[in-house]
Amino acid sequence: GDAEWPARVDDLCARRPLALWVRGRQDLTEVLARSVAVVGSRAATSYGSHVGAELGAELCDRGWTVLSGAAYGIDACAHKGALAAGGRTVAVLACGVDVTYPAGHRALLERIAEEGAIVSELPPREAPMRGRFLVRNRLIAAMTRGTVVVEAGPRSGALSTASEAIALLRPVLAVPGPVTSAMSAGVHQLVRKRMAELVTNAAEVIEVVGRIGEDLAPELRGPVRQHDGLDPLVARVLDAMPVRAFRDVEAIATRAGLAANTVLAGLDTLLEQGCAGAALGGWRRLKK
């Protein structure tokens, strides 16, 4: 009933927590309004660590909060990327909010508490136990608009977070890795079974979890080439033209397999576009 209670947690129904302990200055409702979970393997590769940090930073640059579990590996990289970008990040723990776990993340947890929030359903001083991590994962999935899995082996705990998100009908996004990497085998399985949508950057993540029709990722385009947008017959004339020597219309028509008048029309078009040059009674192709 508290004003800061994150409403999405209620989607857990009978599995929702009775209360949440929060450490930090941020209003939990406000900070979670536009939030994405970024999870993955503890034994992250250099590739996964880089991608996790980049996603954390890029999501925060676009005004989104990054939520994770403060574990070693992908979790820590996502948190650090968010903090490096000056954004907000939330850590959901499987222990009390005053317990430093893992111990090596004392400084990281302090920064998260300052810039974002640390959350747990367990009261202070409660120690982490194996079963509590799996239970905690349902909160990570429930608090956010979607879950991104960066790296996960076949038995990774990150897959349980993905399963919880699927059960809640929340989007699951998967970042592909090398097909030879065991650390990405679980991620690839999610995609192969059509349980997750493949993404490669923050813009693609936001397109899925953001506002329909507004948060669209930019369309990927390759380099612009001379043939782009040309009529097929004009493109054949362009292909038939030499680059160095000048050739007359008949020679170009023979090479292109087109009538001379068709070639002339195509040459006029190419001349206007700066793709062809004329001299000495002949034509040649100009590089652009």
Side-chain angles (χ1 to χ4, degrees):
D2 191 276
E4 286 192 49
W5 183 260
R8 293 193 192 101
V9 173
D10 293 336
D11 291 344
L12 291 168
C13 299
R15 300 174 63 218
R16 73 175 184 173
L18 296 176
L20 291 172
W21 297 82
V22 183
R23 178 183 166 200
R25 302 172 183 174
Q26 299 286 346
D27 181 298
L28 197 59
T29 299
E30 192 271 332
V31 82
L32 291 178
R34 284 163 54 89
S35 61
V36 178
V38 180
V39 298
S41 173
R42 285 179 171 82
T45 66
S46 58
Y47 162 80
S49 298
H50 173 77
V51 173
E54 285 289 309
L55 272 177
E58 290 175 5
L59 286 166
C60 284
D61 279 340
R62 289 165 170 79
W64 288 73
T65 299
V66 173
L67 187 145
S68 198
Y72 289 121
I74 300 300
D75 288 19
C77 291
H79 288 306
K80 290 176 181 177
L83 292 169
R88 298 180 300 187
T89 184
V90 175
V92 183
L93 305 185
C95 55
V97 295
D98 60 338
V99 176
T100 301
Y101 186 86
H105 282 172
R106 179 177 297 278
L108 176 61
L109 289 167
E110 289 294 334
R111 284 204 62 195
I112 293 172
E114 291 174 6
E115 306 295 335
I118 298 175
V119 181
S120 178
E121 63 182 308
L122 297 167
R125 294 187 294 277
E126 283 293 317
M129 293 188 292
R130 178 182 292 272
R132 288 178 172 176
F133 288 96
L134 293 177
V135 174
R136 178 274 311 269
N137 289 346
R138 85 195 193 287
L139 289 181
I140 294 178
M143 286 180 174
T144 55
R145 290 195 186 182
T147 297
V148 185
V149 185
V150 176
E151 275 189 325
R155 294 177 59 86
S156 173
L159 297 182
S160 74
T161 307
S163 296
E164 294 285 1
I166 291 168
L168 290 167
L169 302 181
R170 305 278 168 79
V172 175
L173 303 313
V175 177
V179 295
T180 54
S181 173
M183 285 294 94
S184 291
V187 176
H188 297 160
Q189 189 78 342
L190 286 174
V191 176
R192 194 175 74 84
K193 291 185 175 180
R194 296 177 174 81
M195 299 167 70
E197 184 166 343
L198 188 146
V199 293
T200 60
N201 54 49
E204 293 174 356
V205 172
I206 295 171
E207 181 177 88
V208 177
V209 302
R211 292 162 296 188
I212 296 174
E214 295 184 29
D215 293 318
L216 299 176
E219 184 178 351
L220 293 178
R221 295 184 61 86
V224 178
R225 296 187 172 92
Q226 282 185 312
H227 286 75
D228 291 350
L230 288 180
D231 179 86
L233 291 180
V234 177
R236 284 175 63 180
V237 175
L238 181 65
D239 285 338
M241 295 169 61
V243 176
R244 294 186 176 87
F246 288 89
R247 294 286 185 270
D248 60 25
V249 173
E250 292 298 330
I252 296 172
T254 300
R255 190 172 184 184
L258 296 171
N261 60 341
T262 302
V263 171
L264 278 171
L267 289 171
D268 287 340
T269 300
L270 294 171
L271 185 63
E272 290 175 4
Q273 296 184 1
C275 297
L280 306 174
W283 299 78
R284 73 179 179 91
R285 179 173 178 170
L286 298 180
K287 292 184 178 180
K288 290 182 68 178

